[in-house]
Amino acid sequence: MPESSSGVPAAALLASLPDAVVVADGAGRIAYVNAAVYGLLGYRPEDLVGRSLAVLMPERFRGGHGAGFARFRRTGEGKLVGATTQVPALHACGTEVAVDLTLSRLEPGPAAGPDGAVVVGVLRDASTTILLERQLAVTRYLAATLRVTAALTEAPDADVAFERLLPTLCAELDWDCATLWQPDSSSGRLGYAGIWARPGVELPTLHAETLGRGFARGTGLPGLVWRDRQPVVIEDLWQDPRFLRSAAARADGVRTGVAFPVFRGDTLLAVCELFSRQTRPVPAELVEVLAHAGRQIGQFLGRLRAESEVRHLADTLQRSLLPSTLPTVPGLELAAEYRPGGGSALVGGDTYDVVPLPDGRWMVLIADVCGTGAEAASVTALTRHTARAAAATSGDPADVLAAVHAALVRDQGDGPLRFVTAVCLVLETGGGSVRGRIGVAGHPRPLLRRAEGWEEIGVVGRPLGVGEDASFPSVPLELGPGSSLVLYTDGVTESRDADGVQFGEEGLVRLLTRPGPDSAACIAGTIATAVAQRAAGSRFDADDLAVLALTVPAR
């Protein structure tokens, strides 16, 4: 070989390079190779010289090599010349090694002859680059799936989360459209649950083909995922017989698909298909991340579904502790508002009741049970049922409250003290006014509006369930035409704004003080709305709220 510009022989310079250097002649034979080829591909240089370049290529590439090299020799142009390309090379032991290949064209001198050196290739181990690229790809995919999960956390329930799953996956992982399939217990097949396409992508044929279709285990792309319990890739949807909607995919220009399962434990919640309009490779790193993401999303969706079921049961239980509708009471207008608290409790302890008595009178009750949850619900139920039974045999709120107190004391176990505050009215209507008695047990005193304004009424006794011996005084009550009475729980007056300032009894009176009579519905709604607005800008959790308004129509 000639000398380099520095005066060092070219062969010595090439031999010192850490990268493998291969020089080929015009016939495509190896004319020179440096010693670095042994460390990279396991060949001794002397064993390669004079052999075809194809010896360094995997078998599947050798068929087109001869024609490609002849075209390069003739035109001086080639796809790989002048650029660095990652390609597989054949190791001496028969395995494939990924290398970064840089090809350059040589201009042989006049004395070189037809078989003079025409091309030089530099081969560098690409494993480190590949490993780094894979690590970066996994990081990107994991970050994308974390963003998917984060987006789903904002969903109020599992149904909404499923609706958001498809567009979020497509946006984060850069796919054009997606479909969702869910197991149908009645048919034993995967049923179509939804399709989504990014804006500007129209898929009328695939959508029509998908509607009403189901897949058995092992059938079609979703069925294969169901059977194998792992992601399945189909890079050519038009040709692969496993994809049973190939005609629809061809019509809509969809080329590549990957599907993965969504599991909660061992239970399949769904199969999600992702489609691309471009033929694209699906790297093993993405497949692995999708498998992991399917379980992660499944756990989250399963938790949402369980929470939805618990909330449904809690709502059912809560409704059982409140009257479905208020009865019609002659000569009296009634309205109520109930709002659950803003904390983590699913069942509140506030309740109210309006019950006809055998003698034609009416019992009105509002109560607030200490605590929340299942235990509070059981105490609430005990309070309501005991009050109803006692009112049927007594005409005095004091007796009703005493009966509830005794039942609560008997029911106290070894757990924390459960007490109840309550207001009980026993009313008799007729003649344009309402008369009766009122008893208050540790509860906020009701507000009565007469012509001169609002005032608190009743004598407050101790809460129900506290202490063995207790009495609960009751006092007479009369509601004349145009008067109003408001019973409420402390979730109204103890509601706090952003600064922690409570609404208070004075704030409630100011809210209700305005000229002219108000209907019962207007009074109850005004209070509930004011408390909701106060809580909306507050960092403090709102308590349960119950309001029961009674008005006597003006003559």
Side-chain angles (χ1 to χ4, degrees), residues 437-451:
R437 298 187 70 82
I438 178 173
V440 182
H443 200 85
R445 291 197 294 168
L447 288 174
L448 173 63
R449 179 181 182 176
R450 296 192 176 99

Side-chain angles (χ1 to χ4, degrees), residues 21 57 292 304 333 510 533 548:
V21 178
M57 303 176 187
H292 174 76
L304 270 184
E333 183 183 321
R510 286 196 300 269
Q533 291 174 345
L548 186 59

Side-chain angles (χ1 to χ4, degrees), residues 456-523:
E456 293 181 328
I457 62 169
V459 177
V460 181
R462 71 172 62 178
L464 306 174
V466 178
E468 293 290 335
D469 299 322
S471 60
F472 305 94
S474 67
V475 296
L477 170 68
E478 182 173 354
L479 304 176
S483 62
S484 301
L485 182 67
V486 177
L487 287 66
Y488 61 91
T489 59
D490 59 11
V492 173
T493 51
E494 293 181 2
S495 63
R496 292 183 286 182
D497 62 15
D499 297 323
V501 178
Q502 293 188 349
F503 196 13
E505 287 80 3
E506 293 182 359
L508 179 58
V509 170
R510 286 196 300 269
L511 175 70
L512 297 177
T513 299
R514 48 192 180 186
D518 284 326
S519 66
C522 179
I523 293 172

Side-chain angles (χ1 to χ4, degrees), residues 329-332 360 362 427-435 478-479 552 555:
V329 179
L332 194 62
W362 294 82
L427 303 176
E428 181 179 358
T429 63
S433 63
V434 177
R435 296 178 178 83
E478 182 173 354
L479 304 176
V552 179
R555 293 177 181 174

Side-chain angles (χ1 to χ4, degrees), residues 198-482:
R198 69 168 69 245
V201 176
E202 301 293 335
L203 304 168
T205 311
L206 185 62
H207 179 64
E209 176 70 14
T210 301
L211 286 174
R213 181 185 270 275
F215 288 101
R217 190 188 300 266
T219 302
L221 179 55
L224 290 173
V225 172
W226 187 12
R227 183 195 66 191
D228 297 343
R229 302 177 66 83
Q230 62 185 8
V232 174
V233 176
I234 297 182
E235 293 194 357
D236 189 349
L237 297 173
W238 297 4
Q239 303 296 332
D240 197 310
R242 295 177 298 170
F243 190 70
L244 303 184
R245 293 159 285 163
S246 58
R250 185 185 295 272
D252 290 337
V254 178
R255 292 304 305 259
T256 298
V258 58
F260 66 94
V262 177
F263 281 111
R264 179 183 60 185
D266 290 332
T267 302
L268 181 73
L269 297 183
V271 171
C272 182
E273 295 177 307
L274 300 175
F275 295 114
S276 172
R277 304 188 78 175
Q278 302 295 323
T279 301
R280 59 188 283 182
V282 181
E285 292 78 19
L286 176 58
V287 175
E288 182 178 349
V289 168
L290 287 177
H292 174 76
R295 292 196 173 275
Q296 188 177 48
I297 293 170
Q299 290 175 358
F300 173 75
L301 293 175
R303 186 170 68 249
L304 270 184
R305 180 169 290 174
E307 290 174 355
S308 298
E309 292 172 355
V310 170
R311 281 195 295 269
H312 176 72
L313 291 174
D315 290 343
T316 302
L317 177 57
Q318 188 72 73
R319 287 194 298 270
S320 73
L321 302 176
L322 298 168
S324 56
T325 58
L326 290 174
T328 300
V329 179
L332 194 62
E333 183 183 321
L334 300 173
E337 288 281 348
Y338 174 82
R339 304 284 174 85
S344 59
L346 296 175
V347 181
D350 289 5
T351 188
Y352 58 87
D353 206 1
V354 180
V355 183
L357 302 180
D359 60 4
R361 292 181 298 173
W362 294 82
M363 182 197 74
V364 177
L365 177 75
I366 191 167
D368 185 354
V369 175
C370 171
T372 56
E375 291 186 16
S378 67
V379 175
T380 303
L382 177 62
T383 298
R384 294 180 76 244
H385 294 311
T386 303
R388 285 187 169 204
T393 59
S394 173
D396 195 323
D399 296 333
V400 175
L401 295 175
V404 174
H405 171 75
L408 293 173
V409 170
R410 288 194 303 270
D411 193 59
Q412 287 285 3
D414 297 331
L417 177 66
R418 292 291 187 184
F419 63 87
V420 178
T421 67
V423 174
C424 182
L425 311 175
V426 176
L427 303 176
E428 181 179 358
T429 63
S433 63
V434 177
R435 296 178 178 83
R437 298 187 70 82
I438 178 173
V440 182
H443 200 85
R445 291 197 294 168
L447 288 174
L448 173 63
R449 179 181 182 176
R450 296 192 176 99
E452 57 273 19
W454 292 90
E455 62 175 309
E456 293 181 328
I457 62 169
V459 177
V460 181
R462 71 172 62 178
L464 306 174
V466 178
E468 293 290 335
D469 299 322
S471 60
F472 305 94
S474 67
V475 296
L477 170 68
E478 182 173 354
L479 304 176

Side-chain angles (χ1 to χ4, degrees), residues 5-201:
S5 60
S6 62
V8 179
L13 181 63
L14 293 177
S16 67
L17 293 178
D19 297 330
V21 178
V22 179
V23 180
D25 62 19
R29 295 186 300 264
I30 298 174
Y32 170 82
V33 59
N34 68 353
V37 75
Y38 182 79
L40 179 63
L41 298 178
Y43 295 98
R44 289 183 299 179
E46 60 269 23
D47 293 338
L48 290 176
V49 173
R51 300 177 66 180
S52 170
L53 281 172
V55 70
L56 301 179
M57 303 176 187
E59 184 70 32
R60 62 185 182 277
F61 296 114
R62 294 177 181 177
H65 167 66
F69 192 86
R71 183 170 57 254
F72 163 74
R73 177 70 190 275
R74 185 175 63 255
T75 65
E77 297 179 355
K79 293 181 179 180
L80 303 183
V81 176
T84 299
T85 309
Q86 194 174 101
V87 297
L90 189 64
H91 194 275
C93 68
T95 61
E96 293 187 9
V97 176
V99 299
D100 287 329
L101 172 65
T102 305
L103 288 181
S104 300
R105 186 171 184 271
L106 296 178
E107 293 294 342
D115 292 336
V118 296
V119 64
V120 59
V122 179
L123 290 74
R124 179 180 294 114
D125 185 1
S127 58
T128 302
T129 303
I130 292 173
L131 179 60
L132 179 59
E133 290 176 349
R134 287 179 176 175
Q135 290 174 339
L136 291 174
V138 169
T139 300
R140 289 196 300 270
Y141 295 144
L142 286 175
T145 58
L146 287 176
R147 289 193 294 270
V148 171
T149 304
L152 297 184
T153 59
E154 300 177 1
D157 55 47
D159 292 336
V160 174
F162 265 120
E163 292 176 5
R164 296 179 181 177
L165 177 60
L166 299 185
T168 309
L169 276 172
C170 287
E172 294 295 343
L173 296 175
D174 192 28
W175 290 77
D176 292 321
C177 61
T179 58
L180 193 69
W181 304 85
Q182 291 181 271
D184 183 351
S185 57
S186 61
S187 67
R189 299 163 66 87
L190 289 174
Y192 166 70
I195 189 170
W196 184 88
R198 69 168 69 245
V201 176

